[in-house]
Amino acid sequence: MLPDDDYLLKIGRLTYSVTLVEGLVLSELSRLTGLPPGLRARKLAGRSAGAIGKALQDPGNIGHVTEPAVREWLRVAGEELAAVARLSHALLHARPAEAGEEPRLHRWPVEVGESFDITHEWLDTAQSTVDDAIRQVDRSRVPSRV
């Protein structure tokens, strides 16, 4: 049996929002000049949110960026992507609840204490976190030089 439509809509909205954060970051990287090869949008485009976030936070990449505003945006975007990636990873690697239980996703424990249900409330909180990430990444963008 499938979960209710509202639950499935929340999963879809959250998944789309995660890709929106990735898209905002990649779009900004495409616009910025003077980035090291490890931060080029074309190189990062096929990677996960977590991998992109790590690349943005990598001192080996950031150390080659001379402009302070760009370094700050990389820091903010990397932190936001890392947070979004943890939520996305939990959702994408969850499994359906056991037969006879309420239809929902359940995150099995990978390590001690990581087992939890993906409830409506979890999805709402995750969506709020991703919405905040979208605002932070957009707000911290480097102004265009015209």
Side-chain angles (χ1 to χ4, degrees):
M1 176 184 268
L2 289 175
D4 61 84
D5 288 347
D6 186 46
Y7 184 85
L8 296 173
L9 180 64
K10 287 179 182 185
I11 290 171
R13 183 174 289 128
L14 181 60
T15 302
Y16 185 88
S17 296
V18 167
T19 66
L20 182 56
V21 177
E22 292 173 3
L24 287 170
V25 169
L26 292 172
S27 176
E28 185 70 0
L29 289 173
S30 295
R31 189 181 69 77
L32 296 172
T33 59
L35 295 176
L39 293 177
R40 296 215 175 101
R42 291 183 69 86
K43 178 178 174 109
L44 297 173
R47 297 196 180 172
S48 68
I52 298 168
K54 283 181 186 178
L56 270 59
Q57 295 176 316
D58 183 347
N61 287 328
I62 294 173
H64 292 20
V65 177
T66 58
E67 190 172 334
V70 174
R71 279 196 313 270
E72 176 61 12
W73 179 82
L74 291 169
R75 183 192 66 75
V76 169
E79 288 174 0
E80 295 298 334
L81 270 175
V84 165
R86 285 188 293 277
L87 297 171
S88 176
H89 186 78
L91 181 63
L92 294 175
H93 295 281
R95 302 294 177 254
E98 298 286 323
E101 294 181 333
E102 176 186 341
R104 59 168 159 59
L105 293 174
H106 179 78
R107 180 69 170 119
W108 290 3
V110 176
E111 294 181 22
V112 176
E114 286 190 2
S115 177
F116 57 90
D117 290 333
I118 306 286
T119 63
H120 281 274
E121 293 77 20
W122 187 94
L123 290 166
D124 291 341
T125 300
Q127 185 66 56
S128 179
T129 299
V130 176
D131 290 345
D132 287 344
I134 291 168
R135 284 189 288 277
Q136 287 287 29
V137 168
D138 192 48
R139 186 179 2 224
S140 63
R141 290 180 64 209
V142 179
S144 296
R145 292 187 195 126
V146 183

